[in-house]
Amino acid sequence: MSTTILLIRHGQTDWNAAGRWQGHQDVPLNEVGRQQARALAARLRHWPITAVYASDLSRAQATAEVVAASLDMTPQLDPDWRERGLGKLEGMTRSEVQLYFPQVYVSQNFVDAPEGETYEMLQARALRAFGRLVSAHRDETTAVVTHGGTIRVLVSHILCLPERYYAPFSLRGNTGITRIDIGENRLAQITFLNDTSHLEEKLVNLS
């Protein structure tokens, strides 16, 4: 038997479309994001999912509600699955961060956001939430709608990458699924990363 965790990025928001860093800002899904959530739900409808969890930020919660409804469930909200708090950088684009905070911007490293969460703080709560899920749903398949930054630190941890290293993989696809399988030896393996094939199958530009 194995335990499967589906880490799912939330649907698109207007800030995603504009390239703005959201952090803890509670930006809702836009219409594209709602379409993406419906496509995601259609894909997962027949998967053996026993529980759906979500960050308590509305973009993740709304995505999870669509998925959970298709499975006749209600998502369980957990603030530990939130995106990283980005402090003064929230609402800015990457170019604005480079312009106004050049001292903290390093393209291949984790940005130290003024008044935001540190890498260590984000990693600690993400691992805490992940550990709770594995313990509570052993030998089951669970889905978690969360955020790109949160997924990134978990994937980096599983791959044993250096801390704070901005690894060369992309999690930009909204509603992308990252599947993690944990065997009897407790070894976590990434089966696929940021899979958005449910959007491609609809033959519409939802990304």
Side-chain angles (χ1 to χ4, degrees), residues 47-105:
W47 286 41
I49 294 170
T50 59
V52 177
Y53 288 79
S55 154
D56 62 342
L57 295 174
S58 63
R59 56 190 182 273
Q61 181 179 348
T63 305
E65 286 172 347
V66 176
V67 172
S70 72
L71 298 166
D72 197 25
M73 297 178 185
T74 300
Q76 302 178 54
L77 304 184
D78 184 346
D80 273 349
W81 287 109
R82 279 188 174 202
E83 180 61 280
R84 180 191 181 199
L86 289 171
K88 290 184 176 181
L89 306 186
E90 292 182 358
M92 290 188 174
T93 63
R94 185 180 299 273
S95 60
E96 288 171 341
V97 172
Q98 289 176 287
L99 177 63
Y100 296 111
F101 293 95
Q103 72 278 13
V104 304
Y105 186 83

Side-chain angles (χ1 to χ4, degrees), residues 22-166:
Q22 296 176 114
H24 285 181
Q25 295 299 306
D26 204 11
V27 186
L29 295 181
N30 60 19
E31 179 54 34
V32 170
R34 290 187 286 273
Q35 292 180 49
Q36 291 172 333
R38 291 192 290 269
L40 172 67
R43 178 180 181 183
L44 297 180
R45 183 173 295 125
H46 301 296
W47 286 41
I49 294 170
T50 59
V52 177
Y53 288 79
S55 154
D56 62 342
L57 295 174
S58 63
R59 56 190 182 273
Q61 181 179 348
T63 305
E65 286 172 347
V66 176
V67 172
S70 72
L71 298 166
D72 197 25
M73 297 178 185
T74 300
Q76 302 178 54
L77 304 184
D78 184 346
D80 273 349
W81 287 109
R82 279 188 174 202
E83 180 61 280
R84 180 191 181 199
L86 289 171
K88 290 184 176 181
L89 306 186
E90 292 182 358
M92 290 188 174
T93 63
R94 185 180 299 273
S95 60
E96 288 171 341
V97 172
Q98 289 176 287
L99 177 63
Y100 296 111
F101 293 95
Q103 72 278 13
V104 304
Y105 186 83
V106 181
S107 61
Q108 287 301 315
N109 207 331
F110 202 82
V111 173
D112 288 307
E115 300 181 12
E117 284 185 289
T118 64
Y119 179 95
E120 292 75 19
M121 292 166 66
L122 173 59
Q123 184 188 62
R125 67 174 169 82
L127 289 173
R128 185 168 63 235
F130 187 80
R132 282 199 302 269
L133 213 63
V134 172
S135 296
H137 297 282
R138 190 163 297 173
D139 297 329
E140 299 177 20
T141 297
T142 56
V144 184
V145 182
T146 179
H147 307 265
T150 310
I151 296 172
R152 179 173 287 278
V153 297
L154 286 172
V155 169
S156 294
H157 178 79
I158 291 167
L159 294 177
C160 300
L161 297 176
E163 292 189 356
R164 302 176 65 85
Y165 173 66
Y166 198 79

Side-chain angles (χ1 to χ4, degrees), residues 2-6 47 137 139-143 179-182:
S2 66
T3 302
T4 297
I5 308 294
L6 306 176
W47 286 41
H137 297 282
D139 297 329
E140 299 177 20
T141 297
T142 56
R179 174 172 172 164
I180 300 174
D181 292 319
I182 304 169

